[in-house]
PDB file of all heavy atoms in Angstrom:
ATOM      1  N   PHE A 212      -0.940  -1.591  -4.152  1.00 79.00           N
ATOM      2  CA  PHE A 212      -1.822  -1.847  -5.284  1.00 79.00           C
ATOM      3  C   PHE A 212      -3.195  -1.193  -5.114  1.00 79.00           C
ATOM      4  O   PHE A 212      -4.022  -1.268  -6.029  1.00 79.00           O
ATOM      5  CB  PHE A 212      -2.027  -3.359  -5.456  1.00 79.00           C
ATOM      6  CG  PHE A 212      -0.756  -4.119  -5.645  1.00 79.00           C
ATOM      7  CD1 PHE A 212      -0.180  -4.807  -4.599  1.00 79.00           C
ATOM      8  CD2 PHE A 212      -0.118  -4.137  -6.881  1.00 79.00           C
ATOM      9  CE1 PHE A 212       1.003  -5.511  -4.773  1.00 79.00           C
ATOM     10  CE2 PHE A 212       1.062  -4.849  -7.063  1.00 79.00           C
ATOM     11  CZ  PHE A 212       1.622  -5.530  -6.014  1.00 79.00           C
ATOM     12  N   THR A 213      -3.455  -0.569  -3.973  1.00 76.00           N
ATOM     13  CA  THR A 213      -4.789  -0.029  -3.725  1.00 76.00           C
ATOM     14  C   THR A 213      -4.827   1.493  -3.663  1.00 76.00           C
ATOM     15  O   THR A 213      -5.912   2.061  -3.553  1.00 76.00           O
ATOM     16  CB  THR A 213      -5.353  -0.572  -2.401  1.00 76.00           C
ATOM     17  OG1 THR A 213      -4.478  -0.198  -1.329  1.00 76.00           O
ATOM     18  CG2 THR A 213      -5.449  -2.092  -2.447  1.00 76.00           C
ATOM     19  N   VAL A 214      -3.684   2.177  -3.726  1.00 69.00           N
ATOM     20  CA  VAL A 214      -3.672   3.627  -3.604  1.00 69.00           C
ATOM     21  C   VAL A 214      -4.386   4.251  -4.797  1.00 69.00           C
ATOM     22  O   VAL A 214      -4.256   3.804  -5.936  1.00 69.00           O
ATOM     23  CB  VAL A 214      -2.236   4.153  -3.482  1.00 69.00           C
ATOM     24  CG1 VAL A 214      -1.450   3.911  -4.763  1.00 69.00           C
ATOM     25  CG2 VAL A 214      -2.249   5.643  -3.152  1.00 69.00           C
ATOM     26  N   ASN A 215      -5.184   5.279  -4.533  1.00 73.00           N
ATOM     27  CA  ASN A 215      -5.912   5.983  -5.583  1.00 73.00           C
ATOM     28  C   ASN A 215      -5.178   7.265  -5.959  1.00 73.00           C
ATOM     29  O   ASN A 215      -4.286   7.729  -5.265  1.00 73.00           O
ATOM     30  CB  ASN A 215      -7.327   6.322  -5.114  1.00 73.00           C
ATOM     31  CG  ASN A 215      -8.145   5.077  -4.825  1.00 73.00           C
ATOM     32  OD1 ASN A 215      -8.068   4.115  -5.570  1.00 73.00           O
ATOM     33  ND2 ASN A 215      -8.921   5.102  -3.749  1.00 73.00           N
ATOM     34  N   GLY A 216      -5.602   7.878  -7.063  1.00 71.00           N
ATOM     35  CA  GLY A 216      -5.000   9.131  -7.489  1.00 71.00           C
ATOM     36  C   GLY A 216      -3.653   8.919  -8.146  1.00 71.00           C
ATOM     37  O   GLY A 216      -3.404   7.902  -8.817  1.00 71.00           O
ATOM     38  N   PHE A 217      -2.753   9.888  -7.952  1.00 74.00           N
ATOM     39  CA  PHE A 217      -1.441   9.853  -8.576  1.00 74.00           C
ATOM     40  C   PHE A 217      -0.347   9.417  -7.614  1.00 74.00           C
ATOM     41  O   PHE A 217       0.832   9.569  -7.902  1.00 74.00           O
ATOM     42  CB  PHE A 217      -1.087  11.238  -9.144  1.00 74.00           C
ATOM     43  CG  PHE A 217      -1.961  11.652 -10.276  1.00 74.00           C
ATOM     44  CD1 PHE A 217      -3.058  12.479 -10.067  1.00 74.00           C
ATOM     45  CD2 PHE A 217      -1.715  11.201 -11.567  1.00 74.00           C
ATOM     46  CE1 PHE A 217      -3.864  12.867 -11.113  1.00 74.00           C
ATOM     47  CE2 PHE A 217      -2.523  11.582 -12.619  1.00 74.00           C
ATOM     48  CZ  PHE A 217      -3.601  12.423 -12.401  1.00 74.00           C
ATOM     49  N   GLY A 218      -0.697   8.895  -6.479  1.00 77.00           N
ATOM     50  CA  GLY A 218       0.293   8.426  -5.528  1.00 77.00           C
ATOM     51  C   GLY A 218       1.073   9.538  -4.869  1.00 77.00           C
ATOM     52  O   GLY A 218       2.265   9.385  -4.591  1.00 77.00           O
ATOM     53  N   ILE A 219       0.426  10.663  -4.597  1.00 80.00           N
ATOM     54  CA  ILE A 219       1.094  11.807  -3.981  1.00 80.00           C
ATOM     55  C   ILE A 219       1.115  11.613  -2.465  1.00 80.00           C
ATOM     56  O   ILE A 219       0.062  11.421  -1.851  1.00 80.00           O
ATOM     57  CB  ILE A 219       0.385  13.124  -4.340  1.00 80.00           C
ATOM     58  CG1 ILE A 219       0.342  13.297  -5.859  1.00 80.00           C
ATOM     59  CG2 ILE A 219       1.071  14.308  -3.689  1.00 80.00           C
ATOM     60  CD1 ILE A 219      -0.432  14.497  -6.313  1.00 80.00           C
ATOM     61  N   PRO A 220       2.298  11.652  -1.845  1.00 80.00           N
ATOM     62  CA  PRO A 220       2.361  11.468  -0.386  1.00 80.00           C
ATOM     63  C   PRO A 220       1.556  12.534   0.348  1.00 80.00           C
ATOM     64  O   PRO A 220       1.444  13.684  -0.089  1.00 80.00           O
ATOM     65  CB  PRO A 220       3.865  11.579  -0.089  1.00 80.00           C
ATOM     66  CG  PRO A 220       4.539  11.273  -1.390  1.00 80.00           C
ATOM     67  CD  PRO A 220       3.618  11.768  -2.459  1.00 80.00           C
ATOM     68  N   TRP A 221       1.004  12.132   1.487  1.00 78.00           N
ATOM     69  CA  TRP A 221       0.184  12.966   2.364  1.00 78.00           C
ATOM     70  C   TRP A 221      -1.154  13.391   1.736  1.00 78.00           C
ATOM     71  O   TRP A 221      -1.962  14.008   2.387  1.00 78.00           O
ATOM     72  CB  TRP A 221       0.920  14.233   2.811  1.00 78.00           C
ATOM     73  CG  TRP A 221       2.031  13.932   3.754  1.00 78.00           C
ATOM     74  CD1 TRP A 221       1.917  13.565   5.075  1.00 78.00           C
ATOM     75  CD2 TRP A 221       3.416  13.957   3.462  1.00 78.00           C
ATOM     76  NE1 TRP A 221       3.165  13.360   5.611  1.00 78.00           N
ATOM     77  CE2 TRP A 221       4.102  13.615   4.659  1.00 78.00           C
ATOM     78  CE3 TRP A 221       4.145  14.257   2.317  1.00 78.00           C
ATOM     79  CZ2 TRP A 221       5.486  13.541   4.719  1.00 78.00           C
ATOM     80  CZ3 TRP A 221       5.527  14.188   2.377  1.00 78.00           C
ATOM     81  CH2 TRP A 221       6.181  13.827   3.562  1.00 78.00           C
ATOM     82  N   ILE A 222      -1.374  13.040   0.488  1.00 79.00           N
ATOM     83  CA  ILE A 222      -2.657  13.330  -0.159  1.00 79.00           C
ATOM     84  C   ILE A 222      -3.380  12.019  -0.477  1.00 79.00           C
ATOM     85  O   ILE A 222      -4.536  11.825  -0.105  1.00 79.00           O
ATOM     86  CB  ILE A 222      -2.467  14.174  -1.434  1.00 79.00           C
ATOM     87  CG1 ILE A 222      -1.881  15.546  -1.074  1.00 79.00           C
ATOM     88  CG2 ILE A 222      -3.787  14.329  -2.174  1.00 79.00           C
ATOM     89  CD1 ILE A 222      -1.627  16.432  -2.272  1.00 79.00           C
ATOM     90  N   ASP A 223      -2.687  11.115  -1.194  1.00 78.00           N
ATOM     91  CA  ASP A 223      -3.277   9.833  -1.544  1.00 78.00           C
ATOM     92  C   ASP A 223      -2.944   8.728  -0.547  1.00 78.00           C
ATOM     93  O   ASP A 223      -3.604   7.690  -0.528  1.00 78.00           O
ATOM     94  CB  ASP A 223      -2.816   9.412  -2.943  1.00 78.00           C
ATOM     95  CG  ASP A 223      -3.274  10.390  -4.008  1.00 78.00           C
ATOM     96  OD1 ASP A 223      -4.390  10.910  -3.885  1.00 78.00           O
ATOM     97  OD2 ASP A 223      -2.503  10.654  -4.954  1.00 78.00           O
ATOM     98  N   PHE A 224      -1.897   8.917   0.243  1.00 79.00           N
ATOM     99  CA  PHE A 224      -1.539   7.915   1.245  1.00 79.00           C
ATOM    100  C   PHE A 224      -0.631   8.569   2.285  1.00 79.00           C
ATOM    101  O   PHE A 224      -0.088   9.657   2.065  1.00 79.00           O
ATOM    102  CB  PHE A 224      -0.842   6.705   0.615  1.00 79.00           C
ATOM    103  CG  PHE A 224       0.512   7.017   0.040  1.00 79.00           C
ATOM    104  CD1 PHE A 224       1.672   6.827   0.788  1.00 79.00           C
ATOM    105  CD2 PHE A 224       0.635   7.514  -1.254  1.00 79.00           C
ATOM    106  CE1 PHE A 224       2.919   7.113   0.262  1.00 79.00           C
ATOM    107  CE2 PHE A 224       1.880   7.803  -1.786  1.00 79.00           C
ATOM    108  CZ  PHE A 224       3.025   7.610  -1.026  1.00 79.00           C
ATOM    109  N   THR A 225      -0.465   7.889   3.394  1.00 83.00           N
ATOM    110  CA  THR A 225       0.421   8.364   4.462  1.00 83.00           C
ATOM    111  C   THR A 225       1.795   7.718   4.274  1.00 83.00           C
ATOM    112  O   THR A 225       1.918   6.487   4.363  1.00 83.00           O
ATOM    113  CB  THR A 225      -0.134   8.006   5.837  1.00 83.00           C
ATOM    114  OG1 THR A 225      -1.429   8.586   5.987  1.00 83.00           O
ATOM    115  CG2 THR A 225       0.783   8.522   6.939  1.00 83.00           C
ATOM    116  N   PRO A 226       2.827   8.498   3.973  1.00 87.00           N
ATOM    117  CA  PRO A 226       4.149   7.905   3.696  1.00 87.00           C
ATOM    118  C   PRO A 226       4.782   7.312   4.942  1.00 87.00           C
ATOM    119  O   PRO A 226       4.510   7.723   6.074  1.00 87.00           O
ATOM    120  CB  PRO A 226       4.962   9.096   3.171  1.00 87.00           C
ATOM    121  CG  PRO A 226       4.314  10.291   3.772  1.00 87.00           C
ATOM    122  CD  PRO A 226       2.853   9.967   3.873  1.00 87.00           C
ATOM    123  N   THR A 227       5.646   6.345   4.714  1.00 87.00           N
ATOM    124  CA  THR A 227       6.378   5.692   5.788  1.00 87.00           C
ATOM    125  C   THR A 227       7.782   5.337   5.292  1.00 87.00           C
ATOM    126  O   THR A 227       7.979   5.081   4.097  1.00 87.00           O
ATOM    127  CB  THR A 227       5.657   4.421   6.264  1.00 87.00           C
ATOM    128  OG1 THR A 227       6.445   3.796   7.270  1.00 87.00           O
ATOM    129  CG2 THR A 227       5.441   3.457   5.119  1.00 87.00           C
ATOM    130  N   LEU A 228       8.743   5.314   6.193  1.00 89.00           N
ATOM    131  CA  LEU A 228      10.122   4.951   5.870  1.00 89.00           C
ATOM    132  C   LEU A 228      10.443   3.508   6.268  1.00 89.00           C
ATOM    133  O   LEU A 228      11.624   3.120   6.255  1.00 89.00           O
ATOM    134  CB  LEU A 228      11.094   5.906   6.567  1.00 89.00           C
ATOM    135  CG  LEU A 228      11.074   7.360   6.097  1.00 89.00           C
ATOM    136  CD1 LEU A 228      12.026   8.196   6.939  1.00 89.00           C
ATOM    137  CD2 LEU A 228      11.456   7.467   4.617  1.00 89.00           C
ATOM    138  N   ASP A 229       9.422   2.736   6.587  1.00 88.00           N
ATOM    139  CA  ASP A 229       9.666   1.353   7.030  1.00 88.00           C
ATOM    140  C   ASP A 229      10.351   0.527   5.944  1.00 88.00           C
ATOM    141  O   ASP A 229      11.234  -0.296   6.243  1.00 88.00           O
ATOM    142  CB  ASP A 229       8.349   0.697   7.431  1.00 88.00           C
ATOM    143  CG  ASP A 229       7.770   1.313   8.703  1.00 88.00           C
ATOM    144  OD1 ASP A 229       8.530   2.002   9.429  1.00 88.00           O
ATOM    145  OD2 ASP A 229       6.564   1.120   8.962  1.00 88.00           O
ATOM    146  N   ASN A 230       9.936   0.732   4.680  1.00 89.00           N
ATOM    147  CA  ASN A 230      10.558  -0.030   3.597  1.00 89.00           C
ATOM    148  C   ASN A 230      12.043   0.296   3.475  1.00 89.00           C
ATOM    149  O   ASN A 230      12.875  -0.600   3.249  1.00 89.00           O
ATOM    150  CB  ASN A 230       9.854   0.264   2.275  1.00 89.00           C
ATOM    151  CG  ASN A 230       8.390  -0.130   2.303  1.00 89.00           C
ATOM    152  OD1 ASN A 230       8.003  -1.064   3.009  1.00 89.00           O
ATOM    153  ND2 ASN A 230       7.566   0.586   1.550  1.00 89.00           N
ATOM    154  N   TRP A 231      12.400   1.565   3.608  1.00 90.00           N
ATOM    155  CA  TRP A 231      13.794   1.976   3.533  1.00 90.00           C
ATOM    156  C   TRP A 231      14.584   1.392   4.699  1.00 90.00           C
ATOM    157  O   TRP A 231      15.707   0.897   4.516  1.00 90.00           O
ATOM    158  CB  TRP A 231      13.907   3.502   3.529  1.00 90.00           C
ATOM    159  CG  TRP A 231      13.529   4.127   2.232  1.00 90.00           C
ATOM    160  CD1 TRP A 231      12.274   4.407   1.784  1.00 90.00           C
ATOM    161  CD2 TRP A 231      14.420   4.549   1.195  1.00 90.00           C
ATOM    162  NE1 TRP A 231      12.306   4.981   0.538  1.00 90.00           N
ATOM    163  CE2 TRP A 231      13.622   5.085   0.161  1.00 90.00           C
ATOM    164  CE3 TRP A 231      15.794   4.538   1.059  1.00 90.00           C
ATOM    165  CZ2 TRP A 231      14.165   5.594  -1.015  1.00 90.00           C
ATOM    166  CZ3 TRP A 231      16.357   5.044  -0.107  1.00 90.00           C
ATOM    167  CH2 TRP A 231      15.544   5.556  -1.137  1.00 90.00           C
ATOM    168  N   VAL A 232      14.027   1.469   5.887  1.00 89.00           N
ATOM    169  CA  VAL A 232      14.726   0.933   7.052  1.00 89.00           C
ATOM    170  C   VAL A 232      14.931  -0.567   6.901  1.00 89.00           C
ATOM    171  O   VAL A 232      16.023  -1.100   7.180  1.00 89.00           O
ATOM    172  CB  VAL A 232      13.934   1.262   8.338  1.00 89.00           C
ATOM    173  CG1 VAL A 232      14.563   0.566   9.542  1.00 89.00           C
ATOM    174  CG2 VAL A 232      13.878   2.764   8.562  1.00 89.00           C
ATOM    175  N   ASP A 233      13.900  -1.284   6.446  1.00 87.00           N
ATOM    176  CA  ASP A 233      14.016  -2.733   6.281  1.00 87.00           C
ATOM    177  C   ASP A 233      15.111  -3.100   5.282  1.00 87.00           C
ATOM    178  O   ASP A 233      15.907  -4.017   5.520  1.00 87.00           O
ATOM    179  CB  ASP A 233      12.679  -3.319   5.823  1.00 87.00           C
ATOM    180  CG  ASP A 233      11.611  -3.222   6.909  1.00 87.00           C
ATOM    181  OD1 ASP A 233      11.984  -3.014   8.082  1.00 87.00           O
ATOM    182  OD2 ASP A 233      10.414  -3.326   6.563  1.00 87.00           O
ATOM    183  N   GLN A 234      15.169  -2.372   4.162  1.00 87.00           N
ATOM    184  CA  GLN A 234      16.147  -2.705   3.136  1.00 87.00           C
ATOM    185  C   GLN A 234      17.573  -2.318   3.535  1.00 87.00           C
ATOM    186  O   GLN A 234      18.525  -3.043   3.239  1.00 87.00           O
ATOM    187  CB  GLN A 234      15.774  -2.016   1.824  1.00 87.00           C
ATOM    188  CG  GLN A 234      14.679  -2.705   1.057  1.00 87.00           C
ATOM    189  CD  GLN A 234      15.042  -4.135   0.708  1.00 87.00           C
ATOM    190  OE1 GLN A 234      15.955  -4.389  -0.076  1.00 87.00           O
ATOM    191  NE2 GLN A 234      14.334  -5.093   1.303  1.00 87.00           N
ATOM    192  N   LEU A 235      17.725  -1.187   4.186  1.00 87.00           N
ATOM    193  CA  LEU A 235      19.068  -0.781   4.603  1.00 87.00           C
ATOM    194  C   LEU A 235      19.604  -1.645   5.733  1.00 87.00           C
ATOM    195  O   LEU A 235      20.823  -1.670   5.970  1.00 87.00           O
ATOM    196  CB  LEU A 235      19.052   0.690   5.042  1.00 87.00           C
ATOM    197  CG  LEU A 235      18.802   1.702   3.908  1.00 87.00           C
ATOM    198  CD1 LEU A 235      18.743   3.113   4.457  1.00 87.00           C
ATOM    199  CD2 LEU A 235      19.880   1.593   2.833  1.00 87.00           C
ATOM    200  N   GLU A 236      18.734  -2.357   6.418  1.00 88.00           N
ATOM    201  CA  GLU A 236      19.184  -3.287   7.448  1.00 88.00           C
ATOM    202  C   GLU A 236      19.527  -4.660   6.879  1.00 88.00           C
ATOM    203  O   GLU A 236      20.112  -5.490   7.588  1.00 88.00           O
ATOM    204  CB  GLU A 236      18.093  -3.444   8.518  1.00 88.00           C
ATOM    205  CG  GLU A 236      17.921  -2.207   9.394  1.00 88.00           C
ATOM    206  CD  GLU A 236      16.832  -2.388  10.429  1.00 88.00           C
ATOM    207  OE1 GLU A 236      16.082  -3.392  10.316  1.00 88.00           O
ATOM    208  OE2 GLU A 236      16.718  -1.543  11.340  1.00 88.00           O
ATOM    209  N   VAL A 237      19.202  -4.889   5.607  1.00 86.00           N
ATOM    210  CA  VAL A 237      19.513  -6.168   4.977  1.00 86.00           C
ATOM    211  C   VAL A 237      20.994  -6.184   4.586  1.00 86.00           C
ATOM    212  O   VAL A 237      21.443  -5.297   3.848  1.00 86.00           O
ATOM    213  CB  VAL A 237      18.626  -6.398   3.741  1.00 86.00           C
ATOM    214  CG1 VAL A 237      19.045  -7.666   3.005  1.00 86.00           C
ATOM    215  CG2 VAL A 237      17.165  -6.486   4.148  1.00 86.00           C
ATOM    216  N   PRO A 238      21.789  -7.144   5.034  1.00 89.00           N
ATOM    217  CA  PRO A 238      23.215  -7.165   4.685  1.00 89.00           C
ATOM    218  C   PRO A 238      23.467  -7.249   3.181  1.00 89.00           C
ATOM    219  O   PRO A 238      24.437  -6.675   2.676  1.00 89.00           O
ATOM    220  CB  PRO A 238      23.742  -8.415   5.412  1.00 89.00           C
ATOM    221  CG  PRO A 238      22.759  -8.664   6.514  1.00 89.00           C
ATOM    222  CD  PRO A 238      21.430  -8.219   5.983  1.00 89.00           C
ATOM    223  N   GLU A 239      22.610  -7.957   2.458  1.00 88.00           N
ATOM    224  CA  GLU A 239      22.805  -8.088   1.014  1.00 88.00           C
ATOM    225  C   GLU A 239      22.677  -6.749   0.300  1.00 88.00           C
ATOM    226  O   GLU A 239      23.377  -6.502  -0.687  1.00 88.00           O
ATOM    227  CB  GLU A 239      21.792  -9.085   0.436  1.00 88.00           C
ATOM    228  CG  GLU A 239      22.037 -10.538   0.799  1.00 88.00           C
ATOM    229  CD  GLU A 239      21.558 -10.861   2.203  1.00 88.00           C
ATOM    230  OE1 GLU A 239      20.933  -9.957   2.835  1.00 88.00           O
ATOM    231  OE2 GLU A 239      21.797 -11.988   2.667  1.00 88.00           O
ATOM    232  N   THR A 240      21.790  -5.885   0.772  1.00 88.00           N
ATOM    233  CA  THR A 240      21.639  -4.567   0.151  1.00 88.00           C
ATOM    234  C   THR A 240      22.883  -3.716   0.364  1.00 88.00           C
ATOM    235  O   THR A 240      23.388  -3.074  -0.569  1.00 88.00           O
ATOM    236  CB  THR A 240      20.404  -3.851   0.719  1.00 88.00           C
ATOM    237  OG1 THR A 240      19.234  -4.638   0.463  1.00 88.00           O
ATOM    238  CG2 THR A 240      20.242  -2.479   0.070  1.00 88.00           C
ATOM    239  N   ARG A 241      23.388  -3.698   1.585  1.00 90.00           N
ATOM    240  CA  ARG A 241      24.599  -2.923   1.867  1.00 90.00           C
ATOM    241  C   ARG A 241      25.795  -3.485   1.103  1.00 90.00           C
ATOM    242  O   ARG A 241      26.631  -2.731   0.588  1.00 90.00           O
ATOM    243  CB  ARG A 241      24.875  -2.917   3.368  1.00 90.00           C
ATOM    244  CG  ARG A 241      23.789  -2.229   4.195  1.00 90.00           C
ATOM    245  CD  ARG A 241      24.312  -1.881   5.580  1.00 90.00           C
ATOM    246  NE  ARG A 241      24.715  -3.083   6.310  1.00 90.00           N
ATOM    247  CZ  ARG A 241      23.907  -3.773   7.106  1.00 90.00           C
ATOM    248  NH1 ARG A 241      22.638  -3.379   7.269  1.00 90.00           N
ATOM    249  NH2 ARG A 241      24.341  -4.843   7.756  1.00 90.00           N
ATOM    250  N   ARG A 242      25.870  -4.799   0.994  1.00 92.00           N
ATOM    251  CA  ARG A 242      26.977  -5.408   0.261  1.00 92.00           C
ATOM    252  C   ARG A 242      26.886  -5.089  -1.226  1.00 92.00           C
ATOM    253  O   ARG A 242      27.885  -4.800  -1.873  1.00 92.00           O
ATOM    254  CB  ARG A 242      26.981  -6.919   0.465  1.00 92.00           C
ATOM    255  CG  ARG A 242      28.176  -7.626  -0.207  1.00 92.00           C
ATOM    256  CD  ARG A 242      27.997  -9.126  -0.217  1.00 92.00           C
ATOM    257  NE  ARG A 242      27.742  -9.627   1.116  1.00 92.00           N
ATOM    258  CZ  ARG A 242      26.994 -10.699   1.376  1.00 92.00           C
ATOM    259  NH1 ARG A 242      26.403 -11.338   0.381  1.00 92.00           N
ATOM    260  NH2 ARG A 242      26.811 -11.102   2.616  1.00 92.00           N
ATOM    261  N   ALA A 243      25.662  -5.136  -1.779  1.00 91.00           N
ATOM    262  CA  ALA A 243      25.498  -4.821  -3.201  1.00 91.00           C
ATOM    263  C   ALA A 243      25.871  -3.369  -3.487  1.00 91.00           C
ATOM    264  O   ALA A 243      26.504  -3.061  -4.513  1.00 91.00           O
ATOM    265  CB  ALA A 243      24.063  -5.095  -3.637  1.00 91.00           C
TER     266      ALA A 243
END
């Protein structure tokens, strides 16, 4: 909610894959 600009990775913020890793490790996501 605090990122400025157009949300461009490496310009407006430092991207991370933590959200993807967290969700792919959730059994409900894989089952869905």
Side-chain angles (χ1 to χ4, degrees):
F212 303 101
T213 60
V214 66
N215 297 319
F217 294 97
I219 302 175
W221 290 286
I222 296 179
D223 298 323
F224 67 94
T225 301
T227 177
L228 293 177
D229 291 343
N230 299 330
W231 285 82
V232 173
D233 292 343
Q234 281 301 294
L235 292 177
E236 289 179 349
V237 174
E239 289 79 6
T240 301
R241 297 197 299 269
R242 184 191 306 149

